[in-house]
């Protein structure tokens, strides 16, 4: 356990101060990426960083990196990161908790005058949310080589504004190469769970061991349109066939064991007329699992059921892959540092996967990375009602701080 003066109260005050920027009447936040509110939030973080003796570098995508030097010039930084941007009707904690807990670790080190062997770096990634500019996790994705810088800069928002122009307009286009952020010894990200498991089990801390693999599909069911007044017997109703498949997908996920998930989030029928049997139904499928083989089996089960339903209903069913994301393991040694820190503080914890994408998932492609989860009430997130108990935030802060310092190494004098 470190003797750092890590303060849950100071972290909470900072969370509340940051939440005033883009604060909404219902108590949430609208601090979307590359807006004036984002600029204001960044400026506040920069001021806090200056007060804690940190040196700020901003890269060409607006990723902010605040450095505290270490004693050993040969060691690369141990980083703590997350994001300050929010959904249009977001909460006070999604992303922000991770960045400001990192800032609290920096303040505690500064206040105690502690020197670490490795440098410590705090990162605020640009556009994690993907609400204004899609896809999400652009800053971390480009830094880690998942997208090119040009792809990110040329992305446009729904109003046609270019990412690069919006970044320049708010004054946060820096000169550094985003790829420099690959040069890290380790990466830690604290995030709210955005799910109900930890609160339900009364466990204040999750050690995130891996991110689920994902496979997304487009499914098209083609039958035949007919008058709604016609007989039932010989219909080739594409929507009824799709409904059977939607129900089957729920069963496929439940029977896949462990952390299997299947979601149909979008559906459209043609010709979409009140008194016409729909000839075409299109829907999206999002499959996730912590085990690649189990995920492949879920996808195979979808194809098998699709063929069965097609034969039984006299329709054609086409299942087309849309996007896939591999299972991402986090670093076992860093996860063990988190468990050791939790044990030393007497904080109950459990291992947990993440079914949701985070900056850490891209970072893990290049750097040993790990995440820790803080519970959130009711699992509610991407919502103005998102809330966290101050004692949960404090427990996560203590474990984060101790594990980061243990990784970086304290200089004993
Ligand atoms: Zn987030």
């Amino acid at each position: 356990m470190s003797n750092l003066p890590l303060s849950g109260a100071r972290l909470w005050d900072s969370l509340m101060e940051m939440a005033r920027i883009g604060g909404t009447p219902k108590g949430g936040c609208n601090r979307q990426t590359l807006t004036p509110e984002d600029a204001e939030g960044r400026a506040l973080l920069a001021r806090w960083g200056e007060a804690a003796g940190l040196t700020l570098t901003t890269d060409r995508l607006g990723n902010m990196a605040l450095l505290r030097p270490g004693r050993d010039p040969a060691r690369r930084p141990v980083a703590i990161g997350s994001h300050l941007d929010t959904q249009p009707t977001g909460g006070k904690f999604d992303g922000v908790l991770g960045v400001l807990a990192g800032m609290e670790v920096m303040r505690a080190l500064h206040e105690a005058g502690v020197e670490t062997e490795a440098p410590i770096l705090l990162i605020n990634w640009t556009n994690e949310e993907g609400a204004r500019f899609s896809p999400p996790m652009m800053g971390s994705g480009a830094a880690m080589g998942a997208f090119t810088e040009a792809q990110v800069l040329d992305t446009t928002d729904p109003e046609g504004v270019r990412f690069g122009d919006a970044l320049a307009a708010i004054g946060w286009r820096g000169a550094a190469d985003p790829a420099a952020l690959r040069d890290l010894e380790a990466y830690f990200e604290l995030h709210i769970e955005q799910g109900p498991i930890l609160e339900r089990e009364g466990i204040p801390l999750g050690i995130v061991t891996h991110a689920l693999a994902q496979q997304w599909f487009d499914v098209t069911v083609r039958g035949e349109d007919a008058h709604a007044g016609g007989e039932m017997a010989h219909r080739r109703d594409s929507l009824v066939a799709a409904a059977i498949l939607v129900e089957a997908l729920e069963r496929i996920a439940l029977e896949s064991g462990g952390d299997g998930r299947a979601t149909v989030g979008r559906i459209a029928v043609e010709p979409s007329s009140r008194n016409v049997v729909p000839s075409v139904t299109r829907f999206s499928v999002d499959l996730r699992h912590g085990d690649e083989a189990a995920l492949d089996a879920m996808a195979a089960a979808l194809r098998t059921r699709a063929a069965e339903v097609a034969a039984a209903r006299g329709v054609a069913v086409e299942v087309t892959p849309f996007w896939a994301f591999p299972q991402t393991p986090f670093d076992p040694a860093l996860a063990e540092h988190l468990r050791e820190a939790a044990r030393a503080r007497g904080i109950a914890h459990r291992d947990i996967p993440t079914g949701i994408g985070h900056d850490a998932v891209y970072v893990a492609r290049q750097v040993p990375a790990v995440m820790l989860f803080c519970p959130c009430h009711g699992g509610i997130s991407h919502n103005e009602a998102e809330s966290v108990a101050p004692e949960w935030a404090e427990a996560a802060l203590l474990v984060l701080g101790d594990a980061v310092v243990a990784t970086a190494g304290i200089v004993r004098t």
Side-chain angles (χ1 to χ4, degrees):
M1 191 187 338
S2 77
N3 293 319
L4 290 180
L6 294 160
S7 167
R10 188 164 50 184
L11 167 58
W12 194 259
D13 287 348
S14 295
L15 285 163
M16 296 307 117
E17 193 173 339
M18 186 60 77
R20 282 202 287 272
I21 303 172
T24 60
K26 287 185 189 162
C29 279
N30 179 5
R31 202 170 47 247
Q32 288 184 73
T33 197
L34 310 188
T35 58
E37 291 76 21
D38 183 13
E40 212 184 313
R42 288 162 175 270
L44 179 57
L45 184 73
R47 282 203 299 282
W48 284 339
E50 210 181 318
L54 307 177
T55 307
L56 169 66
T57 304
T58 306
D59 71 24
R60 293 188 294 262
L61 300 176
N63 294 316
M64 296 170 70
L66 299 110
L67 184 71
R68 186 172 198 275
R71 189 197 61 91
D72 184 348
R75 287 191 58 183
R76 290 169 302 155
V78 172
I80 309 170
S82 202
H83 60 95
L84 289 179
D85 70 317
T86 75
Q87 292 283 327
T89 52
K92 301 186 195 72
F93 303 96
D94 173 358
V96 190
L97 176 63
V99 176
L100 298 190
M103 179 56 75
E104 177 54 29
V105 173
M106 296 294 207
R107 284 170 175 159
L109 287 164
H110 188 64
E111 192 180 299
V114 168
E115 198 181 10
T116 52
E117 293 287 353
I120 299 183
L121 189 68
L122 174 63
I123 304 173
N124 171 35
W125 299 108
T126 300
N127 188 30
E128 192 278 344
E129 292 291 357
R132 180 178 174 199
F133 295 95
S134 189
M137 302 177 286
M138 266 184 192
S140 56
M144 299 301 146
F147 328 111
T148 66
E149 219 174 302
Q151 274 174 318
V152 171
L153 293 171
D154 289 334
T155 306
T156 52
D157 74 1
E159 264 86 69
V161 179
R162 263 182 86 249
F163 181 105
D165 297 338
L167 179 60
I170 66 159
W172 278 92
R173 173 149 202 187
D177 180 357
L181 292 172
R182 291 178 205 176
D183 203 19
L184 303 174
E185 182 178 303
Y187 176 84
F188 288 85
E189 183 165 349
L190 163 62
H191 204 281
I192 58 167
E193 181 196 349
Q194 302 181 286
I197 297 169
L198 295 173
E199 186 190 33
R200 196 170 60 215
E201 296 186 357
I203 297 174
L205 186 73
I207 311 293
V208 188
T209 49
H210 61 285
L212 303 186
Q214 303 183 34
Q215 290 185 26
W216 293 9
F217 299 91
D218 282 329
V219 179
T220 306
V221 184
R222 291 175 203 279
E224 190 173 46
D225 51 17
H227 197 287
E231 59 166 357
M232 293 299 294
H234 297 99
R235 288 187 180 186
R236 293 163 56 217
D237 186 327
S238 67
L239 180 57
V240 173
I244 294 167
L245 282 173
V246 172
E247 201 275 334
L249 278 160
E250 185 187 45
R251 209 154 355 96
I252 287 168
L254 289 170
E255 288 169 3
S256 71
D259 39 29
R261 291 131 168 68
T263 304
V264 175
R266 241 185 198 180
I267 190 159
V269 296
E270 293 171 23
S272 192
S273 168
R274 188 181 288 269
N275 57 353
V276 178
V277 174
S279 56
V280 180
T281 300
R282 297 174 206 277
F283 60 96
S284 64
V285 176
D286 173 325
L287 301 181
R288 302 181 187 210
H289 204 290
D291 180 86
E292 295 275 2
L295 182 63
D296 287 341
M298 289 173 74
L302 165 62
R303 288 182 189 284
T304 303
R305 285 297 288 138
E308 287 166 6
V309 169
R313 292 269 156 184
V315 297
V317 185
E318 212 178 299
V319 179
T320 314
F322 177 79
W323 183 76
F325 202 90
Q327 199 256 35
T328 306
F330 287 128
D331 189 75
L334 295 179
E336 195 47 36
H337 282 188
L338 290 172
R339 288 189 203 99
E340 277 162 19
R343 277 194 293 268
R345 295 263 184 189
I347 294 167
H349 55 94
R350 60 159 280 174
D351 286 359
I352 192 168
T354 174
I356 300 171
H358 291 290
D359 292 309
V361 180
Y362 278 135
V363 177
R365 292 185 178 189
Q366 303 283 348
V367 173
V370 74
M371 293 189 75
L372 58 166
F373 275 171
C374 168
C376 57
H377 286 123
I380 294 166
S381 183
H382 284 193
N383 188 310
E384 289 159 280
E386 183 181 276
S387 74
V388 163
E391 58 272 24
W392 296 339
E394 181 171 34
L397 164 69
L398 297 177
V399 171
L400 174 72
D402 287 359
V404 164
V405 165
T407 307
I410 284 194
V411 178
R412 308 273 172 202
T413 48

